[in-house]
Amino acid sequence: MSRKILIIGGVAAGPKTAARARRLDPDAQITVLEKGKYISYAGCGMPFYLSGQIHDFDHLYSTAYGVKRDPEFFKNERGVDVLTGMEAISIDRAAKKVTARNVDTGEETVFEYDKLVLGTGSNPITPPIENLDLKGVYRLNHLTDASAIKQAMDAGEVNDVVVIGSGFIGMEAVDAVFNPRRSVTVVEFRDTLLPGILDTDMGQLLYKNFYEQGLEGRFGERVLKLEGEDGKVTKVITDKGAIDADAVILAVGVRPNVGLARDAGITIGETGAIVVNEYMQTSDSDIYALGDCVENTHLLTGKKVLAPMATYANRQGRVVGDNVTGGSSTFKGVLGTGVLHCMGVNVARTGLGEKQALDLGYDIESALVSTFDMTHYHPASNKVLLKLIVEKGSKKILGAQGIGKGELAKRIDVVATMLYYGGTLDDLLNLDLGYAPPFSTPIDPLVHTGNTVKNKLEGVAKTYTAKEVQEKLERGEDFLLLDVRTPQQFVMRNIEDNRVQQLTLGDLRYKLDQVPKDKEIVTVCVMGSRAYEAARILEGAGFKDVKFMEGGMEGWPFDME
Amino acid sequence: MSRKILIIGGVAAGPKTAARARRLDPDAQITVLEKGKYISYAGCGMPFYLSGQIHDFDHLYSTAYGVKRDPEFFKNERGVDVLTGMEAISIDRAAKKVTARNVDTGEETVFEYDKLVLGTGSNPITPPIENLDLKGVYRLNHLTDASAIKQAMDAGEVNDVVVIGSGFIGMEAVDAVFNPRRSVTVVEFRDTLLPGILDTDMGQLLYKNFYEQGLEGRFGERVLKLEGEDGKVTKVITDKGAIDADAVILAVGVRPNVGLARDAGITIGETGAIVVNEYMQTSDSDIYALGDCVENTHLLTGKKVLAPMATYANRQGRVVGDNVTGGSSTFKGVLGTGVLHCMGVNVARTGLGEKQALDLGYDIESALVSTFDMTHYHPASNKVLLKLIVEKGSKKILGAQGIGKGELAKRIDVVATMLYYGGTLDDLLNLDLGYAPPFSTPIDPLVHTGNTVKNKLEGVAKTYTAKEVQEKLERGEDFLLLDVRTPQQFVMRNIEDNRVQQLTLGDLRYKLDQVPKDKEIVTVCVMGSRAYEAARILEGAGFKDVKFMEGGMEGWPFDME
């Protein structure tokens, strides 16, 4: 008798499971229940539809060869029954039955299963803000949300946008709606953009770039309520003030949708998501779960984490498809890899951030390096800022982050691959990464960053971060900030303070007598490498207390006075 | 007393060694001898100067901050003495002295050393071709070569170009000179573009793309002589015919420059390059060597190989800089990673090719996959062809290759990182690579390729390569080539043969009676995934002898009849 596979949820994880199961078991009866209207759609593509980069709404739920992924497609090409507008409301585990309700008619149907798959996803968190039901308030969860915002944008009704929350979804929303004719403000309760994703220093540098393009950021600020006129939003009221708004996008995160599983007595973890083993099996061995509704194991820390990302949903779909048809594939865990393109800037990260690592008790060294993503003479080259975090002692790499116009996803994927193997700094310096002028530098930016960490660990490079330098200045410390850039570079942007002295690197060896011997010296340049060179020259000449500022002026996130 | 470090060679490896040594030892006397005129230049940048992407010749030997890397720069910023036009002619190892000759005056000078570094590089191979001294015959070895070709191009004297050799340098030369108003022919003695770098199937697919853009390739053809008029080249004569030419670029490879080392009794390996240990020490422990003149260890096979690449020269420079100042850094070896951008197409590879793996006795499985480099709905998405080679049994990854307009360097860097760790197919499927629509697909193209290999290993996917299908057709075998694309796609490009039947995937389940039960069936589509689906449907319906064509029509390199 053919196996009955019942899948709840038709967005990403469910359809992937169905497709894989069908390929492995041509005889199985495979049924997908989805309460919404659309199935197998590209939720991640919604921002690109909003921004106009994707013109045709249908592209978000079409195959690469232009066929709509609708129930008919699933029936014809996959032999899978997909029922939309059908909400699963209870599971009878003993009888192996699921009851579902037609969302239009209210009619209930009972489905039998041999293997049940829960891909119930997540719901956007609704923060405790008054008047969220005003017109002009949007989420970015379903395709219908995207089409509502797009309609309002096309009608010219979206001019003063407030995005609440600055995680990946919030910043994708910013990217989608930002243009110079709109006022866009992002309100973030924490102290930086992309909190928990980027370290504060990196988040501030990113914000500096966005601010210069015209984005307004409000940090450490909590939204209390919305105000409106004629049922339409007009203002966002925070604990620090008011912001005009004719459109508000809520992006404060998602919460796993586990009601159905919990009601059926399936184990829910401390994270609030469904507990699964590495075969993606729940506490009921005939019930699998995957995607946004499950908790994942962090491969570095072993801790359970929420990781509501499309890539995990898809990769887990393949694993579950294998296992519901008799296989034994595994999904080992996650490393928190993430990439983003926003307002012309690439953002990428993997592993642990500096604060996360410190909170977990790691003794760490890190470096922030400003460099080019490919040979600087190549016309397509762009700057990038890379940060690498390494455990002292073991020299195990713990994480990396990058921001900049240049290529970063590649470098972060390399680190993610190393993290999978528990890779060390010495490994990094021995990788054979591809080099040609349009792709990299002879020593890859990532390896260059690794070299800097190594120099710091070995005491060859002694540095301050930009923040430490700023704090020294603010505390009124007596030290010399020796700027070794060219006079032209100095004039363009410099730290105005009487503790700053300008002396070009090429002159330094011949003008050592102009540098005071009795003070701490901090060298600074554009990107850090000349300042490092200068510090080594000074140390070689007998100066005892010399450091350089990491990342150079490229790593200086603060306003110039 | 300060340490004397003498470095022979001022192009890449030497200056890098000098810079690192200086940073670690401020007191050392560091001297670099270079027989040429330019030092520390970007040899890899020459093609971009020729193509006009780099306008200013000076950029090829300037720092990122616009300062020329000339002897004055090395003196002022690095405290390193660089002597150009100074050719080292002998080493007295007992006395630790090097004699050098001024190339202009013939005057000889003796230099003492505590540590000697040989970065003598490589010389282009001069093939046995008559009349190579004709005007219009170029190499791409020194900056002076680049400026000679550029001058001729600017003077309109470069119209019919023949490039001899199609390795990385040859194809970079093709990229630099190719434009629709020039006739460009590449002559390659072996049977494919980039032989030894790409497998034949990948090389043929790449050539198909270039051919359609207007490049002429002559394969399995040997150049015998050049003919000229008034001392200027006019024709290239091969063993198969003549090609008009007013410019010939020789790019048949390089040979390590080891005369100085050999004369001094330093051990030369079977590859013809200087033998070094992982500290980059030669058979004389006070003499180090690095860059193009040394042999490297292949990390997968343990064999000694030549690897004349700028990235190794630079990375080894750091290692030697450490070691000549008392450190003990190591360079472990190479994996043959390489990347190229040519005529709008990216090429990348690492590890072993299919033929190399078979020659070494590996039992392998591989897959050729055609897919998109990012979500297909993103406007910047492009197609890529990826090939992954895996050892059966151990499932160890042995190598990967990619060609296409889309992003590939990232995927190859990930494989290179895995190869360093001896990674397996299961590891690949568990990597946490970054995903967002502008960067990747929810299941990365590389992981997708890994899934295909896994399906083949497990017997879920049974395939023929394009070449195997072509051979079956040519042998006159009786089988059915079932094309499951849409009628529109079929009309645009199809294999004309009466064994081809067209039946769209969506219709297949309902028209199984139109498919003959008594024949072998090979399904085909655009990129392979629908053909795979079709094969699974047919197998599920009881068809016994079904395969699909890997890579789809995207993987079909042959002319249509």
Side-chain angles (χ1 to χ4, degrees):
Chain A
M1 214 184 71
S2 71
R3 182 187 271 143
K4 288 194 188 78
I5 300 169
L6 181 64
I7 299 168
I8 299 174
V11 175
K16 186 75 193 172
T17 305
R20 178 66 179 166
R22 166 56 69 231
R23 284 175 174 169
L24 296 175
D25 183 352
D27 295 327
Q29 288 181 42
I30 306 177
T31 308
V32 178
L33 309 180
E34 165 57 39
K35 69 177 171 185
K37 178 179 167 193
Y38 296 99
I39 53 165
S40 193
Y41 62 80
C44 310
M46 291 191 285
F48 303 90
Y49 172 67
L50 291 186
S51 67
Q53 289 181 272
I54 301 170
H55 294 287
D56 190 346
F57 185 71
D58 292 355
H59 283 182
L60 296 176
Y61 57 100
S62 299
T63 65
Y65 48 98
V67 177
K68 278 190 202 173
R69 285 189 303 248
D70 56 15
E72 195 187 2
F73 162 83
F74 273 90
K75 188 69 189 170
N76 293 344
E77 296 207 5
R78 304 263 196 261
V80 170
D81 291 306
V82 177
L83 307 172
T84 55
M86 189 67 89
E87 182 176 13
I89 52 175
S90 69
I91 304 169
D92 181 343
R93 288 164 53 199
K96 292 193 159 190
K97 286 178 183 172
V98 168
T99 303
R101 183 192 291 136
N102 183 312
V103 296
D104 297 321
T105 65
E107 189 189 348
E108 293 188 358
T109 314
V110 174
F111 297 86
E112 296 182 350
Y113 67 82
D114 295 306
K115 301 288 175 189
L116 177 63
V117 178
L118 302 177
T120 47
S122 57
N123 289 322
I125 292 171
T126 300
I129 296 172
E130 286 177 50
N131 299 325
L132 285 179
D133 54 349
L134 285 167
K135 195 162 174 287
V137 180
Y138 305 96
R139 286 173 177 79
L140 257 182
N141 196 45
H142 292 295
L143 282 193
T144 42
D145 301 326
S147 80
I149 304 181
K150 188 70 162 73
Q151 253 176 341
M153 284 169 70
D154 291 347
E157 295 165 6
V158 176
N159 301 295
D160 298 310
V161 187
V162 175
V163 176
I164 302 177
S166 75
F168 279 129
I169 304 289
M171 294 316 294
E172 286 186 339
V174 165
D175 185 53
V177 300
F178 184 82
N179 78 39
R181 292 177 303 283
R182 273 188 199 116
S183 146
V184 180
T185 304
V186 58
V187 185
E188 170 58 55
F189 175 62
R190 294 206 258 170
D191 66 347
T192 179
L193 279 188
L194 293 161
I197 295 167
L198 292 182
D199 284 333
T200 303
D201 55 349
M202 297 293 277
Q204 285 180 345
L205 286 163
L206 184 64
Y207 176 59
K208 179 177 148 225
N209 180 304
F210 292 166
Y211 176 77
E212 285 166 3
Q213 293 188 56
L215 180 71
E216 180 74 26
R218 305 264 194 128
F219 301 100
E221 199 162 335
R222 186 190 288 276
V223 176
L224 302 174
K225 64 174 179 176
L226 308 183
E227 289 181 0
E229 282 173 28
D230 305 329
K232 195 165 177 341
V233 70
T234 55
K235 271 190 183 0
V236 173
I237 310 296
T238 76
D239 54 359
K240 295 188 181 164
I243 312 162
D244 287 339
D246 55 15
V248 172
I249 299 177
L250 280 177
V252 295
V254 296
R255 190 171 281 143
N257 194 354
V258 300
L260 186 69
R262 178 182 280 125
D263 291 348
I266 291 167
T267 306
I268 308 297
E270 281 182 18
T271 62
I274 300 170
V275 172
V276 288
N277 60 18
E278 64 176 0
Y279 303 99
M280 307 308 296
Q281 252 167 337
T282 67
S283 56
D284 180 327
S285 63
D286 287 321
I287 303 182
Y288 291 77
L290 78 168
D292 287 8
C293 67
V294 302
E295 58 181 30
N296 284 282
T297 304
H298 195 292
L299 287 173
L300 273 177
T301 65
K303 290 185 193 300
K304 297 297 175 187
V305 292
L306 295 178
M309 308 273 271
T311 181
Y312 305 137
N314 277 276
R315 284 174 41 215
Q316 291 168 351
R318 200 171 193 282
V319 169
V320 175
D322 284 355
N323 295 347
V324 293
T325 53
S328 60
S329 291
T330 59
F331 181 86
K332 301 221 167 89
V334 302
L335 287 163
T337 309
V339 285
L340 170 73
H341 184 79
C342 182
M343 297 176 63
V345 180
N346 294 314
V347 177
R349 64 94 67 208
T350 189
L352 304 176
E354 188 169 347
K355 185 172 181 313
Q356 293 161 323
L358 292 171
D359 288 349
L360 288 161
Y362 286 98
D363 187 16
I364 63 165
E365 186 58 271
S366 72
L368 178 75
V369 162
S370 166
T371 186
F372 289 93
D373 64 339
M374 61 179 82
T375 45
H376 65 85
Y377 55 77
H378 194 282
S381 68
N382 272 305
K383 285 182 182 168
V384 290
L385 275 162
L386 269 166
K387 182 173 180 174
L388 184 71
I389 297 146
V390 175
E391 186 182 25
K392 283 186 185 168
S394 73
K395 292 193 191 165
K396 260 184 75 169
I397 292 174
L398 298 176
Q401 301 173 23
I403 57 175
K405 286 188 188 297
E407 203 292 326
L408 285 161
K410 175 166 71 173
R411 281 78 198 206
I412 292 302
D413 273 359
V414 167
V415 176
T417 305
M418 294 190 69
L419 291 177
Y420 178 83
Y421 292 106
T424 67
L425 197 51
D426 288 332
D427 295 339
L428 174 58
L429 309 190
N430 270 293
L431 295 183
D432 188 3
L433 304 175
Y435 163 67
F439 297 100
S440 185
T441 43
I443 292 186
D444 190 90
L446 177 64
V447 178
H448 179 43
T449 310
N451 282 331
T452 305
V453 177
K454 188 164 185 256
N455 285 339
K456 288 179 73 173
L457 283 171
E458 293 172 356
V460 177
K462 303 183 193 79
T463 71
Y464 282 125
T465 64
K467 189 174 177 61
E468 286 167 340
V469 171
Q470 198 215 24
E471 285 168 356
K472 285 170 74 71
L473 288 168
E474 284 179 352
R475 277 196 303 265
E477 283 187 28
D478 185 25
F479 71 109
L480 181 74
L481 198 58
L482 189 68
D483 194 318
V484 300
R485 296 176 295 168
T486 61
Q488 297 86 329
Q489 290 171 329
F490 184 80
V491 167
M492 279 180 62
R493 180 166 185 259
N494 66 74
I495 298 163
E496 283 199 22
D497 190 285
N498 58 18
R499 287 163 287 187
V500 175
Q501 181 181 337
Q502 200 268 323
L503 184 54
T504 302
L505 176 62
D507 296 335
L508 181 59
R509 286 180 194 280
Y510 309 101
K511 298 186 176 171
L512 290 169
D513 57 333
Q514 295 183 12
V515 183
K517 283 246 173 192
D518 57 337
K519 274 186 192 173
E520 181 186 20
I521 299 167
V522 181
T523 59
V524 63
C525 65
V526 178
M527 299 169 84
S529 63
R530 275 177 291 170
Y532 171 42
E533 198 71 43
R536 297 303 293 171
I537 290 173
L538 291 169
E539 287 180 320
F543 289 77
K544 295 295 176 211
D545 196 6
V546 187
K547 291 193 174 66
F548 74 92
M549 192 173 91
E550 277 187 66
M553 291 303 292
E554 288 290 323
W556 186 260
F558 313 110
D559 285 341
M560 301 295 124
E561 293 306 313
Chain B
M1 216 186 69
S2 70
R3 183 186 272 143
K4 290 194 188 74
I5 300 168
L6 182 63
I7 298 167
I8 298 174
V11 176
K16 186 75 192 171
T17 305
R20 177 66 178 166
R22 167 55 70 230
R23 284 173 176 171
L24 295 176
D25 183 351
D27 296 326
Q29 289 179 42
I30 305 176
T31 308
V32 178
L33 309 181
E34 164 59 36
K35 67 177 172 185
K37 180 180 168 192
Y38 296 100
I39 54 168
S40 194
Y41 62 79
C44 311
M46 291 191 285
F48 304 91
Y49 172 66
L50 292 187
S51 67
Q53 287 181 273
I54 301 170
H55 293 286
D56 190 344
F57 185 70
D58 293 354
H59 282 182
L60 295 177
Y61 57 101
S62 300
T63 66
Y65 48 97
V67 177
K68 277 190 201 171
R69 286 189 303 246
D70 55 15
E72 195 187 1
F73 162 82
F74 273 90
K75 188 69 188 169
N76 294 345
E77 297 207 5
R78 304 261 196 262
V80 170
D81 291 306
V82 176
L83 306 173
T84 54
M86 190 67 86
E87 182 176 12
I89 52 175
S90 69
I91 304 169
D92 180 343
R93 288 164 52 200
K96 290 195 163 189
K97 286 179 182 170
V98 168
T99 302
R101 184 191 290 136
N102 184 310
V103 296
D104 296 320
T105 65
E107 190 189 349
E108 294 189 357
T109 312
V110 174
F111 297 85
E112 296 181 349
Y113 67 83
D114 295 309
K115 301 286 174 189
L116 178 64
V117 178
L118 303 177
T120 47
S122 57
N123 290 320
I125 292 171
T126 299
I129 296 173
E130 287 175 51
N131 299 324
L132 285 179
D133 54 348
L134 286 167
K135 194 162 176 287
V137 180
Y138 305 95
R139 287 173 175 80
L140 257 184
N141 195 45
H142 293 295
L143 283 193
T144 43
D145 301 326
S147 77
I149 306 180
K150 187 70 160 71
Q151 254 177 339
M153 284 169 70
D154 292 347
E157 295 166 3
V158 176
N159 300 296
D160 297 310
V161 188
V162 174
V163 176
I164 303 176
S166 76
F168 279 129
I169 304 289
M171 295 316 293
E172 286 185 341
V174 165
D175 186 52
V177 300
F178 184 82
N179 78 38
R181 290 178 306 283
R182 273 190 201 114
S183 146
V184 181
T185 305
V186 59
V187 185
E188 169 57 53
F189 176 62
R190 295 206 258 169
D191 66 347
T192 177
L193 278 189
L194 293 161
I197 295 166
L198 292 181
D199 285 332
T200 302
D201 55 349
M202 296 294 276
Q204 285 180 344
L205 286 162
L206 184 64
Y207 176 61
K208 179 176 150 225
N209 180 304
F210 292 165
Y211 176 77
E212 285 166 3
Q213 293 188 56
L215 180 71
E216 181 72 26
R218 305 262 195 130
F219 301 100
E221 196 161 336
R222 186 190 288 276
V223 176
L224 302 175
K225 64 174 178 176
L226 308 183
E227 289 181 359
E229 282 173 28
D230 305 329
K232 195 164 179 340
V233 70
T234 54
K235 273 193 180 2
V236 173
I237 310 296
T238 75
D239 55 356
K240 295 190 183 163
I243 313 162
D244 286 340
D246 55 14
V248 172
I249 300 177
L250 280 178
V252 295
V254 295
R255 190 171 281 145
N257 193 355
V258 301
L260 186 69
R262 178 181 280 128
D263 291 347
I266 291 167
T267 306
I268 308 297
E270 281 182 19
T271 63
I274 301 171
V275 172
V276 288
N277 61 19
E278 66 176 358
Y279 303 100
M280 306 309 294
Q281 253 167 335
T282 67
S283 55
D284 179 329
S285 63
D286 287 321
I287 303 182
Y288 292 76
L290 77 170
D292 287 8
C293 66
V294 302
E295 58 181 30
N296 285 282
T297 305
H298 195 291
L299 287 172
L300 273 177
T301 65
K303 290 184 194 300
K304 296 298 172 186
V305 292
L306 295 179
M309 309 273 270
T311 181
Y312 305 139
N314 277 277
R315 283 172 45 214
Q316 291 167 350
R318 200 171 194 282
V319 169
V320 175
D322 285 357
N323 296 347
V324 293
T325 53
S328 60
S329 291
T330 58
F331 181 86
K332 301 220 167 92
V334 303
L335 288 163
T337 309
V339 286
L340 169 73
H341 185 79
C342 183
M343 297 177 64
V345 180
N346 294 315
V347 177
R349 63 95 65 209
T350 189
L352 303 177
E354 188 168 346
K355 183 169 182 317
Q356 293 161 323
L358 291 171
D359 287 349
L360 287 161
Y362 286 99
D363 187 16
I364 62 165
E365 186 58 272
S366 72
L368 178 75
V369 162
S370 166
T371 186
F372 288 92
D373 66 337
M374 61 180 80
T375 45
H376 65 85
Y377 55 76
H378 194 282
S381 66
N382 272 305
K383 285 183 183 169
V384 289
L385 275 163
L386 268 166
K387 181 172 179 175
L388 184 70
I389 297 147
V390 175
E391 186 184 24
K392 283 186 185 168
S394 73
K395 290 194 193 167
K396 259 183 75 169
I397 291 174
L398 298 177
Q401 300 172 24
I403 57 176
K405 285 187 189 297
E407 204 292 325
L408 285 161
K410 174 165 73 174
R411 281 75 196 204
I412 292 301
D413 273 358
V414 167
V415 176
T417 305
M418 294 190 70
L419 290 178
Y420 178 83
Y421 292 105
T424 66
L425 197 52
D426 288 333
D427 294 340
L428 173 59
L429 309 189
N430 270 293
L431 295 183
D432 188 3
L433 304 175
Y435 164 67
F439 297 100
S440 184
T441 42
I443 292 185
D444 190 88
L446 177 64
V447 178
H448 178 42
T449 309
N451 282 332
T452 304
V453 177
K454 189 165 185 258
N455 284 340
K456 288 179 73 173
L457 282 171
E458 293 172 354
V460 177
K462 302 183 194 80
T463 72
Y464 281 124
T465 64
K467 189 174 174 61
E468 286 167 338
V469 171
Q470 198 215 24
E471 286 168 356
K472 285 170 75 72
L473 288 168
E474 284 178 353
R475 276 196 302 267
E477 283 188 27
D478 185 27
F479 71 109
L480 181 74
L481 196 57
L482 189 69
D483 193 320
V484 300
R485 296 177 295 168
T486 62
Q488 296 87 328
Q489 290 171 328
F490 183 78
V491 166
M492 278 181 61
R493 180 165 185 261
N494 67 72
I495 299 164
E496 283 200 22
D497 190 287
N498 59 17
R499 286 162 288 185
V500 175
Q501 180 180 338
Q502 201 269 322
L503 184 53
T504 302
L505 177 62
D507 295 337
L508 180 61
R509 286 179 194 281
Y510 308 102
K511 297 185 175 172
L512 289 170
D513 56 333
Q514 296 184 11
V515 183
K517 284 245 174 194
D518 55 340
K519 274 187 193 173
E520 181 185 20
I521 298 167
V522 180
T523 59
V524 63
C525 67
V526 178
M527 299 170 82
S529 64
R530 274 178 291 169
Y532 171 42
E533 199 71 46
R536 297 303 292 171
I537 290 172
L538 291 169
E539 287 181 319
F543 290 77
K544 294 295 176 214
D545 194 5
V546 186
K547 291 193 174 63
F548 72 94
M549 192 173 88
E550 277 188 67
M553 291 303 290
E554 289 289 325
W556 185 261
F558 312 109
D559 285 340
M560 302 293 127
E561 295 303 316

